[in-house]
Structure formats: structure tokens, C-alpha cells
Amino acid sequence: QPQQPHPVIVQVSDANAPPPQWLTGGSKYQRSAGVHVFPDAAAVAVAQPQPIAGAAVAEQPTAAAGGAPSSSGPRAGWGIVYEVRSADTVRIVGNPTSPNAPAPEKVVTLSGIVAPRIALGRSGGSDEPFAFAAREFLRRLALGKPVQFSIHNTSTTGRNPREYGDVLLDGTPLQNTLVQNGFATVRLPQNFSGDTDDLHESRQILLRLQEEAKTNKLGLWQENIPTTHSVRTLQHAPNQKQFFNRFRNKPLRAVVDQVRDGTTLKVEVLAPEGQPLNHTMLTVHLSGAAARRVPLPQSILDQQYQRDVEDRKRRLADRPELEIPMPEKKTAEQPKPFAIDAKRFTEKRLLQRDVTVVLEGMDKFENLFGRVMFEKGDISVLLVSNGLAKGVEWSAALTTEKRQKALKDAEQQAKMGRRGVWRNWQPVGAAANGASNVKDAEAEMAVAAAAAGGAGGREFQGKVTQVVNGDTVMVQDASGTEIRVQLASIKAPRMASKFQKESDAYAIEAKEMLRKSVIGRKSTISIDYVRPGNPEYNEDDRAFATITVGKSNVALDMVKNGMASVIRHPPGEARSIAYQQLVDAEQEAMKAKKGIHSKVKPARREIVDLSQRFNKDDPEGKTAASQLSKKAKQFFEFFRKEKALEGVVEYVFSGSRLKVFVPAHNCMLIVNLAGIKCPSAKPGGDVDPTIDEFGTAALKYAKSFCLQRDITLQIEALDRHDNFIGTVLLHRQNLAVHLLQNGLAETVSFSLKNTPWRDTLTAAETQAKNARLNRWKNYDPEAEAAAAAAAAAAAAEEKEFDGSATLGLTVCDISDAANFYVHTEHDQQALETITKQLAELNLDNETATNETAAWLQKGALAAGKFYGEWFRCQLQHRTAESGWSVFFLDYGNRDVLNVEDLRPIPESLQRPQPAAKACTLAGLRAPPKYHESFGPAGQALSVRAMDQKGLMARVFFQDREKKLHVELLDGDVSLNVDLVQEGFVRKMRKAPRSVEARKEYWEAVGHAQKAAHDAHRGMWAMGDPGSDEEGEMSPGGGRRR
């Protein structure tokens, strides 16, 4: 500190002009060009200053006695006291010289006095007695008021240089006021002799004021004051949870210590008046508002870098063998627009001001959220109304309805006025219609939610159609569009999946609770936030919402019952509007040790899964299938004794095929609806390739009707594939009846005759036919009668396939040495009719098909041009050359056709069954495709059978795919035995029972194969041609139709 008076330098416009009006007193002053020099700053009395128009700029003088000139900023000027850091240090800020320029500021330490030291920051030690009281005195006296300052000298010792000088408020130096009130002592020269006459007049004044304070026992000179009332205890890291629970929604007196950004404050919570000075330092995020973050300045990043470098040096000194990389030197981010403006706005109104803090919420990271009130109102509302912060619904929900409305109104005002962050705002509707300059994240979120859900906004009414897991559902809106929605801010235990072998504890219970709460019920879906999907994995954006059923928040109920945990969101991240309620509910569930918070895990349920299907060609699969079949028969006996079972539909394969879980028996079943069949949603096989356009519609209807619903199940039969046949009732409504009434299914005689619902089902189908609904839109009673007659004739022809009858046929296509297609006499007649109808269409004169035609779909029936003639075919799959692989229904051959060689065909040509019948040599296999005898073997069958007149076949049986298992006869010669004897085909290791039962035939085949093997003919030329395990039996082989 300087011990002698120092000059005050004030710049003026005219060297001959008298001193400024606000400088008065008896001190003499020197004149120089444009500068008034006053030798004694303390002797200058300062009147009320003129209105501040900008930062004062003074000319730098030469070095003064006792110190160096200030290295930056003016040596004297005026401004506003922005911050009181201690009882002897203030921060003064002037007005910016331009709108975008930072405000000039000066930190001044008062000269000539010693104030009690106050602890600053976590590592600032402890306060000296009355340090806090002294700081508070000066804060209340000068904060926010206009002052004049003058700098005497600069001290460069210590970490930060200090500038010492005088600050005058209303003409009086702050030093004088502090000393007079006992909150500072006079600093005397080191060589002070004790004679006050040797001191400068300003020091003599300070000493007189100090004696007055001692006499009046003011401030530091008070007696018998307990330490608890004179020394502040400041707690920087309290137990946030305990503090919040203790003072939640209670007003707290506080002083804002720091403004980190516009809506994040560091506050010192003061002790009640008259109580010990036990204070707490807290960081509070404003509820209901969020300003843009202010990144750390480069100076702080450099300090962090230096600390990391020093830390690395110390660690390497202790352990040189360590390989510690150099820390990364970071570059300061550029703040987003209006981030600095929001911080300045809040600083100007709150920094070191008395405020009232009301803590309203705390998140999982123990971040505190609350409202901060000052003399002019709610700072959150002011920030939002000026467009410097956006409203945040989840934290606004923590507060009163009146304040929520105030925040919404404030944001609407800012939007309409295009203020701050809303400067480019447009209504959501305009953005949805293609506005390109919408920058508002909230509007974009709303538009994204509307686009994803077809809901037209952030909130819509819908119905939950499926529960995926304990926190994810499928929701159908009013337009019928389904979207995937996750419950905002919660996470339920995960179910087993391809990414996770076993389900988490309580995963099944959580999913079941959510299912019972929402499935099929009308709900209100409020989109809280949308997370963008990963474009690399072609992920859609994910919507997170609060779902309300009636007045119940579904996520809140899940958390209350310990079926989900609350997500820990980083500060500033979007979250559920009911986030605080979720956090509170989780705390209660943890205390009660419910669900996932319990040490007791639920017992694992071993479900008997009768819905599994196995590969019977594999030995292990065949064994598992046999065991499952036995279990299915056992369960069927139980089910048949019960009139009705309660179950839950877990999956819908098609309109008439469901997977059902029966809790009472802890088993999973596949159920086919009795009396009906629905069109498949995918193509059938080669022989039965018909695909119905209403298959998808039937599937969708069945899912909407019963997926994941509690249903009543009436089991009536068990088929040969271990599928249960029965009736599914939801609220006494029969799913099969509904499908028939809507024209999405048809009755089937073999199960219709056994169900007690047969009359109702028949009436429902007749109703749909008469109304020409869906699949019956082209219903023709006469055509149906003709088709029924043709089917009866075909049935009459096929019913004698018992192994004793022979059938005249013509081979029309050969797939390999054991599989081929034939025409019977009846087929030849049907083929002539089909050929005639195709010719009448005159397809060559029709417009060529475009490759984008809508009817070109996998499984569709069409006319295909093959060697200049048109034949019926089924589209199998699209080829790389923009063509289609097709199967010719009436001849059994395949080919690839260009789109130009395809034409759509009318319903009348789609209805007739394929004229070509699939056949296989009974109990025999062709060589594998990779074997060198594969081609010659097929050629051998072609020579013996292709287009041969008078060829006969003894039919052993017809399997479920309608493939005939036959013995070909050319007169008295068995072509089957002949081909085996020549080594072109071989016996199956395990043939169908119906074939092995023909002992004479099977023995002849065995002798023929031994002869071929011994003579090394055909496939036996080089030994065993391959494994017998693959493809021995056709699907369903060995089971008589």
C-alpha cells in the first residue's frame, strides 16, 4: 500500500477549464495539457455524479510514488458497483461502448485500510471475525450504485495483480464509511513514529473515525460477541438430498455468489437473523427455464491444462516407469447466440443481491432446481419473456399452476415479439408445411413428433396396441398410424433378446404390469422429447412420452411399484414433464424395497413352450419334436376337460393362427381358429402358390382385436402338427366370427363340422359374401358352384390313393431324378380350358407392363410369355436384371422373364387349381446336386418318362403338400426299380411308413440298390455319393392324407 498521497488523474477537454463540478475541496491541483492532477485523493470531496454515459477513460500518468501505473484500463473514472468481493475489494462495471462490445470493468482494492479477511471458494480457508459482517455492510451500502474510482498503484505480488485506489460513493470514500462503522482498521506506515501529525491528512481523518468506532463499540470493536455470531461457517458440499428434503418448498434467504449461465446460479444460503452464521453454498438451476450454456473461457481451460501437466510431472517423478500421455490442450468453445446475453442479464439483476430461493426439485444427479425471486419478481419469467431462455415443461411442473401459466405466457410473448432465441420463430404449422428457417428446437420436436405419430402435435389421443417391454409400447393414433413410444425418463428391466441371453429380474413382471395398465385402452400421449436415430443403422427417431390412462400416469405407477428405475439425465437434457414425481416415487419404492429394489428376486418360471418347432431331419430335432408331441397330447387331455381357459395372446402369426400363453398351466401354445382359415400374408409353396391380398388385412385385424389381451380359450382339437384348434373369445366376442363378417376369412369344412360355433360361422361368412366385403368383393355364386363341382370331382379322383389304384398320367417337367410334375386325364381337361381362356385375352396386344406396376409383387399370379406362348405363372422373386423368377403353375417348370413378358390376369384365371401335380418316386432320393451323377440321373428319368404315352403310376399316398408318392410303371416294368438298379436313385435310409409297408416293392428296391452298389453303377461308381441325412423326406412325408 502507498503511504504517501497519490495524485488523481482526471481527463478534461480543455486544459484551461476549471476542475469538474463534481471535484471540490481545498486541495490545490496542477494543470497540464488536458489533465487535472489532484495531489490527495482522500481530501477530494465528491458530489453526486452525473448520469453515467459510458466508461471513463483517463490518460495514463508516469509512475507515481509507491507503485507502478495500472497495466490496463483507466486510472480514474466512474461506473456501477457490480460486485463486492470482500470488505475492501469491489468490482466496478461501466456501459459498453457499442452493443456487441463487452462492458469495461475494474476491480479496485481500497487503499489505506485493513478489512477482515473473508474466505473465498472451497480452498479459501476460514473467515476472520466479522469478515462476513463487514462484507455484508459494504455490499448493502454500495452494490448497484454509481461510484467514482481512482487508481493509485498496482501490486504485482501474488497470483493475481491488484490495483489499489479510492472509491467514492455520494462524495464520501468507502474507506471512511467502513472505518467509521468499525468494519476496517487504518493501515499505518511501517516506519510510523506514533505521531499522527506526521501522517497525511487523509490518514488522520481515518484515525479519528476509527477512534469514534472504538468509543461506540461498533463492528470489530464490539465486546462479548460469541464466535458463532462473528465468524461465518460456510459449507460447500452439503448432503444435497438431506438439505433438499429438509427445506423443500420453503423460502430461503440467500445471496447470489456467482452466475454460471443465465439459469444456473451459485447461491449462499444465509442463516436466519440472530442465529449462528452457519451458511451453505448451493448450485441452483432455475425451474421452468433453461438458457444456453456458457462454455468455459480459455483462461480456465489453460489453468486446467497447467494443473494436468503438473500432475503428470509429479506422477512421473514418483513412478518413472509409467507411460502417461500428455494432457490434451483444449480450445474454448464459441458460445451459442444469446448465451452471454442471458448470463449478463442475470448477473446485472442478481449477482450478490438478496434473493429468496425456493427449492422445488432434485434430479438423480442431485442437481437442485428451484425458483429465485428478487425485488423485481421471478428471474425465470423475466429471462423467458426476453427470449433469453426457453420454457422447460418438466421443471415448470414442479412449481405452482400460476407460475406455470406465467412462464407459458412469457414464452408466448417472446415468440410473438421474435425476441432473443425466438428471433426466427414461426408457428409449428408453418414449419410443418415446409418453412426452411425454423431454428426453434421445440418446434422442430413437435413437428418430428407429429410426423412420426401423425398426431398433429406434442399431445394426442391414441390406443396402445402392443407392449414391447416394460417401458416401450406401440401406439395407434386416430388415423390408424402406429408409432413406437418409450416412457420418458424411466427404464424397466430388460427382456431376453439376441443382445441379452437371459431376462433381468422383474422384467416379465414389469412387462405384465404395463400390459395390464395400457393394452387396448384409450390413452393420452404427451411427447416429452425425441431422440434422433442413428442413420448408420437406419434407425428411426425415438419418441419419449408421458402416457396417461384416465388420471393415472403409467410411468409413475411403474416406478412406485418398483418395476422401473428413473434415468439420470445430465443437466439441461430434456426429460419427462413429471420427472420430479418420478424421482420422489423411486425414493419411496427404495425405502419400501419394492420390486427391483428388493433383495428378494422373483422365482424363475419354467414355461412349457409347446409353440416350438424343430427340424425333424436333424436327429436331435426329431427327438425334441417327439417329446414335444407327447407333452402336447398330455396337455390336450387336460384342456379338453376344461370348458374354458384364461390366456394371453402373445403373438399373431396370421389372422387365424395365434400364440397363446395359459398362466394356469404355465404353457405356451399355438392355436388355430376352429372352422376358418385366413389368407396367408406370405406366398405358399410351389403347388399351392396362391396369395391373397387380404392376408395382411386379416393379420392387422387380429392383432388389433386380441394381441396381448386377456382372452378366453376353448380348445376343441389337436392336429397332427401339435397345433391346438379352438375358439378365441374376447369379452364373449368370437374372433373367427369377426373375421368372417369382415370378409377376411373363409370357413373350412374339416374343422367347421366339429365346432359348436359352425352355424354362427357359416352365417357370418354368408353375410360377408352377400355384402361383397374384402375377399368376396368379386363373389360370383355361379362360379363358386362350378368350383365346388370341380373340387368334388378332384376329390373323387384323389380319394382312392390307397396304394392299390393306378393312375394314367403324362410327365410334363422333371426337377431331378426323383421329383417331377405330371398331368392326369382330369388335369388335361382343365389345362385345355385354361389355355383357351388365356388365348381369348389377346395378351400380345395389351400394353407392356411397366416394372413399377403395383401388381408386381412376390406371390402374385400372372401370365408369362414362354417361347412365344402365354402360360399362368406365379412371381417368385425379383432378379438383379429387373426381371422376375417365375413358376409355371400348369407345367411345373421355372424360368426368369422380363417385365415386358408379364401380364396381370383376371380373378377367373387365378381361381383354378394348378394343372400340374407334383410327384416323387416313393421312398427314393436323387443324387445330391453337387454329385457328378446328378445330371445323368435326371436325364435317365427324362428318357424313360418324359412325354411317354401309356405311362401309369401306382400312388402310395399323398402328403400334406399334395405331392404324390408313386411307383412309375411302363407296362409291367417298374421305372423306380430300374432307376435304382442303374444307380441313378437310391433308397431313403428312413422311408415313409406307407412306403415301407409295401414290402414287395421295398424289397425289390433293396435288391436293386445292392446290385448297383456291388457293380459300382451310376452314383455308386466312386463309393457312397453323400449323406442320407439331408432332405430324405418331403415335409410331412410318411403321414397319410
Side-chain angles (χ1 to χ4, degrees):
Q1 289 275 34
Q3 305 304 320
Q4 299 298 325
H6 294 282
V8 177
I9 312 299
V10 180
Q11 183 176 359
V12 296
S13 57
D14 185 1
N16 297 319
Q21 294 181 0
W22 52 271
L23 285 173
T24 60
S27 301
K28 295 182 179 180
Y29 62 90
Q30 304 171 359
R31 289 190 180 184
S32 61
V35 177
H36 294 302
V37 184
F38 291 82
D40 185 359
V44 178
V46 182
Q48 179 68 29
Q50 299 298 316
I52 297 176
V57 179
E59 183 178 303
Q60 298 282 351
T62 57
S70 175
S71 59
S72 64
R75 296 289 291 172
W78 57 90
I80 299 291
V81 176
Y82 214 68
E83 182 182 1
V84 177
R85 296 184 174 177
S86 65
D88 61 0
T89 304
V90 296
R91 176 176 161 218
I92 303 171
V93 176
N95 287 337
T97 55
S98 64
N100 296 323
E105 61 180 57
K106 178 73 69 176
V107 177
V108 180
T109 300
L110 302 177
S111 61
I113 63 171
V114 178
R117 179 182 175 277
I118 190 168
L120 299 175
R122 292 174 181 262
S123 59
S126 57
D127 288 0
E128 292 181 352
F130 295 100
F132 177 73
R135 200 279 304 269
E136 282 295 282
F137 174 82
L138 183 58
R139 183 181 70 82
R140 295 175 183 273
L141 174 70
L143 190 67
K145 296 180 181 178
V147 294
Q148 285 76 43
F149 68 88
S150 59
I151 303 301
H152 297 167
N153 72 311
T154 300
S155 171
T156 57
T157 60
R159 179 181 297 179
N160 298 313
R162 289 191 175 190
E163 293 185 306
Y164 295 92
D166 297 323
V167 177
L168 292 86
L169 173 65
D170 295 337
T172 303
L174 293 180
Q175 298 97 314
N176 293 12
T177 307
L178 284 164
V179 172
Q180 186 176 15
N181 286 274
F183 289 115
T185 59
V186 181
R187 182 185 294 275
L188 297 173
Q190 295 180 355
N191 57 354
F192 177 54
S193 63
D195 186 358
T196 57
D197 292 338
D198 295 338
L199 296 176
H200 189 272
E201 182 181 355
S202 62
R203 300 299 169 89
Q204 294 178 23
I205 294 173
L206 289 174
L207 286 173
R208 287 197 299 271
L209 295 173
Q210 182 172 281
E211 289 303 319
E212 290 179 14
K214 287 181 179 181
T215 302
N216 296 327
K217 297 181 180 180
L218 300 176
L220 302 172
W221 313 113
Q222 298 178 75
E223 298 177 353
N224 301 322
I225 301 298
T227 304
T228 56
H229 287 67
S230 64
V231 178
R232 177 189 64 162
T233 301
L234 186 59
Q235 188 178 12
H236 278 277
N239 186 314
Q240 298 273 82
K241 190 175 297 183
Q242 290 183 3
F243 190 92
F244 173 71
N245 291 334
R246 180 181 176 188
F247 294 106
R248 183 176 186 177
N249 292 324
K250 296 179 181 178
L252 299 172
R253 292 191 316 118
V255 174
V256 177
D257 183 74
Q258 182 186 1
V259 177
R260 294 185 178 176
D261 60 48
T263 51
T264 306
L265 314 175
K266 187 177 179 182
V267 300
E268 182 177 347
V269 179
L270 307 178
E273 293 285 354
Q275 298 295 318
L277 301 179
N278 296 323
H279 295 180
T280 303
M281 195 71 75
L282 299 174
T283 297
V284 178
H285 302 268
L286 297 183
S287 62
R292 290 172 174 173
R293 184 180 64 89
V294 176
L296 292 174
Q298 189 63 50
S299 59
I300 300 297
L301 294 177
D302 291 343
Q303 292 176 16
Q304 293 177 350
Y305 173 75
Q306 290 300 326
R307 284 197 298 268
D308 292 342
V309 170
E310 294 299 325
D311 179 67
R312 178 177 179 274
K313 288 181 180 179
R314 286 193 299 271
R315 294 172 64 188
L316 288 175
D318 294 338
R319 298 183 62 184
E321 72 277 8
L322 293 177
E323 294 184 2
I324 305 175
M326 279 292 293
E328 180 183 357
K329 191 168 186 178
K330 299 179 180 179
T331 304
E333 301 176 21
Q334 288 297 319
K336 293 183 178 179
F338 300 102
I340 298 297
D341 302 79
K343 180 179 180 180
R344 289 175 180 169
F345 183 92
T346 304
E347 271 189 341
K348 186 174 181 180
R349 288 155 181 81
L350 297 190
L351 185 61
Q352 286 211 316
R353 305 300 177 100
D354 292 302
V355 296
T356 299
V357 177
V358 180
L359 299 179
E360 297 172 318
M362 182 177 70
D363 66 12
K364 294 268 286 188
F365 286 98
E366 297 190 358
N367 295 308
L368 296 172
F369 293 82
R371 64 179 183 270
V372 176
M373 312 293 293
F374 71 119
E375 60 183 358
K376 293 186 178 180
D378 188 337
I379 188 64
S380 299
V381 175
L382 291 176
L383 283 163
V384 172
S385 64
N386 283 276
L388 299 176
K390 292 182 179 181
V392 179
E393 289 188 6
W394 80 264
S395 58
L398 303 173
T399 188
T400 63
E401 291 184 3
K402 182 179 179 181
R403 184 165 179 264
Q404 291 181 49
K405 184 178 185 303
L407 288 166
K408 287 184 178 179
D409 292 344
E411 186 169 71
Q412 189 61 29
Q413 292 173 10
K415 288 178 178 179
M416 299 306 293
R418 306 298 194 273
R419 300 173 193 157
V421 295
W422 306 108
R423 64 193 186 280
N424 295 318
W425 176 81
Q426 288 187 0
V428 173
N433 290 329
S436 59
N437 62 339
V438 177
K439 304 298 182 183
D440 168 33
E442 182 186 52
E444 291 172 353
M445 184 195 306
V447 173
R458 289 172 58 92
E459 181 175 297
F460 63 97
Q461 302 296 315
K463 182 176 74 171
V464 177
T465 57
Q466 183 180 354
V467 175
V468 180
N469 53 46
D471 57 24
T472 306
V473 298
M474 299 298 294
V475 178
Q476 185 181 68
D477 67 3
S479 68
T481 303
E482 275 195 339
I483 60 170
R484 187 184 180 102
V485 174
Q486 290 182 238
L487 295 177
S489 297
I490 73 165
K491 182 179 181 181
R494 299 290 95 179
M495 298 288 291
S497 66
K498 63 180 180 180
F499 305 108
Q500 182 172 324
K501 291 184 179 180
E502 295 185 357
S503 297
D504 295 336
Y506 290 99
I508 296 175
E509 289 76 7
K511 182 180 179 182
E512 181 64 7
M513 179 180 176
L514 183 59
R515 184 190 69 82
K516 289 184 176 180
S517 300
V518 301
I519 194 68
R521 304 181 68 179
K522 291 183 178 179
S523 309
T524 301
I525 294 87
S526 301
I527 303 295
D528 291 315
Y529 51 95
V530 176
R531 297 269 189 264
N534 189 336
E536 293 183 7
Y537 298 99
N538 198 27
E539 291 180 348
D540 294 329
D541 292 349
R542 293 178 295 159
F544 293 79
T546 297
I547 298 180
T548 306
V549 178
K551 295 183 179 180
S552 177
N553 182 331
V554 174
L556 189 59
D557 290 341
M558 295 287 292
V559 174
K560 282 181 179 177
N561 287 277
M563 292 297 133
S565 59
V566 182
I567 294 173
R568 299 177 65 182
H569 290 284
E573 186 175 74
R575 60 197 74 188
S576 167
I577 191 173
Y579 187 76
Q580 187 59 47
Q581 293 174 279
L582 294 173
V583 172
D584 294 341
E586 185 179 44
Q587 295 300 318
E588 294 299 322
M590 293 173 70
K591 289 179 183 178
K593 296 182 179 179
K594 292 183 179 180
I596 59 177
H597 309 296
S598 171
K599 293 182 180 179
V600 180
K601 302 304 179 185
R604 294 183 62 86
R605 293 191 296 177
E606 295 297 333
I607 297 175
V608 181
D609 192 354
L610 301 177
S611 67
Q612 297 183 84
R613 295 295 179 262
F614 302 96
N615 179 12
K616 295 182 181 180
D617 292 335
D618 178 72
E620 293 183 1
K622 188 173 182 180
T623 302
S626 176
Q627 293 174 350
L628 184 142
S629 185
K630 290 178 182 178
K631 288 182 181 179
K633 290 180 175 65
Q634 292 172 357
F635 274 91
F636 174 65
E637 293 303 322
F638 297 139
F639 297 159
R640 192 164 57 174
K641 294 176 183 177
E642 301 184 38
K643 291 184 177 180
L645 301 168
E646 299 302 320
V648 179
V649 177
E650 292 290 335
Y651 191 79
V652 179
F653 297 100
S654 69
S656 56
R657 184 177 173 85
L658 320 171
K659 182 191 284 190
V660 179
F661 175 62
V662 181
H665 295 273
N666 206 33
C667 64
M668 195 80 72
L669 321 172
I670 288 182
V671 177
N672 291 336
L673 297 184
I676 72 163
K677 71 174 182 178
C678 285
S680 175
K682 58 183 180 181
D686 293 343
V687 179
D688 187 15
T690 306
I691 181 171
D692 197 296
E693 61 180 302
F694 300 107
T696 303
L699 173 66
K700 187 175 181 180
Y701 187 92
K703 289 176 67 174
S704 175
F705 185 90
C706 65
L707 180 61
Q708 293 189 330
R709 307 289 188 90
D710 294 311
I711 53 101
T712 301
L713 181 63
Q714 297 174 349
I715 298 296
E716 300 169 11
L718 177 69
D719 70 13
R720 62 186 180 182
H721 306 302
D722 304 320
N723 299 313
F724 293 82
I725 299 174
T727 300
V728 170
L729 303 174
L730 177 67
H731 306 310
R732 300 184 179 181
Q733 299 293 311
N734 189 335
L735 171 59
V737 172
H738 281 262
L739 287 166
L740 288 169
Q741 287 176 339
N742 286 276
L744 298 174
E746 62 180 321
T747 57
V748 287
S749 58
F750 70 87
S751 64
L752 180 65
K753 62 185 179 182
N754 297 321
T755 177
W757 293 83
R758 55 183 173 274
D759 294 338
T760 307
L761 296 176
T762 303
E765 183 180 45
T766 303
Q767 177 184 337
K769 286 180 176 179
N770 293 335
R772 304 298 194 273
L773 292 177
N774 291 322
R775 67 175 292 106
W776 307 113
K777 63 182 179 180
N778 297 319
Y779 172 65
D780 184 352
E782 295 180 0
E784 184 182 67
E797 180 182 295
E798 295 176 0
K799 70 179 181 179
E800 297 299 332
F801 293 158
D802 59 358
S804 60
T806 57
L807 186 69
L809 49 79
T810 303
V811 176
C812 56
D813 188 77
I814 293 177
S815 302
D816 59 37
N819 295 279
F820 49 94
Y821 287 85
V822 302
H823 289 148
T824 65
E825 183 178 348
H826 178 269
D827 295 330
Q828 291 286 0
Q829 295 174 2
L831 184 59
E832 290 176 4
T833 302
I834 292 170
T835 304
K836 182 179 179 181
Q837 290 177 344
L838 284 170
E840 291 173 352
L841 294 177
N842 200 14
L843 297 175
D844 285 319
N845 294 330
E846 288 194 6
T847 305
T849 301
N850 188 287
E851 65 179 13
T852 60
W855 68 271
L856 286 173
Q857 296 181 7
K858 184 178 180 181
L861 299 186
K865 195 171 187 179
F866 185 77
Y867 285 95
E869 295 187 36
W870 293 95
F871 303 94
R872 288 196 310 163
C873 63
Q874 181 215 6
L875 305 185
Q876 298 287 300
H877 59 82
R878 194 183 290 270
T879 64
E881 294 77 18
S882 299
W884 278 89
S885 174
V886 300
F887 169 71
F888 288 96
L889 302 177
D890 302 316
Y891 289 89
N893 59 312
R894 301 172 186 273
D895 202 355
V896 175
L897 300 181
N898 294 325
V899 174
E900 294 81 3
D901 293 330
L902 293 172
R903 299 286 189 275
I905 56 177
E907 179 73 20
S908 59
L909 271 172
Q910 296 186 34
R911 193 179 300 114
Q913 292 294 315
K917 283 186 173 58
C919 296
T920 185
L921 299 180
L924 304 181
R925 285 188 58 211
K929 287 185 178 181
Y930 57 80
H931 198 271
E932 60 184 8
S933 64
F934 177 80
Q939 185 64 29
L941 177 62
S942 178
V943 169
R944 288 166 171 77
M946 190 71 177
D947 295 327
Q948 294 295 323
K949 301 284 187 178
L951 202 63
M952 304 294 289
R954 181 180 291 119
V955 181
F956 287 1
F957 71 96
Q958 185 178 36
D959 63 26
R960 65 177 181 178
E961 301 298 335
K962 297 185 178 181
K963 180 177 285 189
L964 302 178
H965 292 245
V966 303
E967 179 185 13
L968 286 180
L969 301 171
D970 186 2
D972 295 332
V973 177
S974 171
L975 297 186
N976 295 35
V977 175
D978 182 46
L979 289 167
V980 172
Q981 191 166 346
E982 294 299 323
F984 293 124
V985 293
R986 62 182 295 186
K987 288 175 59 177
M988 290 181 177
R989 182 171 298 175
K990 182 64 176 176
R993 292 192 300 270
S994 298
V995 175
E996 291 182 345
R998 312 299 173 185
K999 292 184 179 180
E1000 183 179 351
Y1001 166 75
W1002 199 236
E1003 288 177 0
V1005 168
H1007 293 315
Q1009 180 162 306
K1010 186 176 185 305
H1013 183 275
D1014 293 343
H1016 298 288
R1017 299 192 191 106
M1019 71 173 70
W1020 308 103
M1022 303 299 293
D1024 194 330
S1027 172
D1028 253 351
E1029 299 300 324
E1030 181 183 357
E1032 284 189 338
M1033 298 172 62
S1034 64
R1039 296 178 184 264
R1040 181 176 293 279
R1041 185 168 184 257

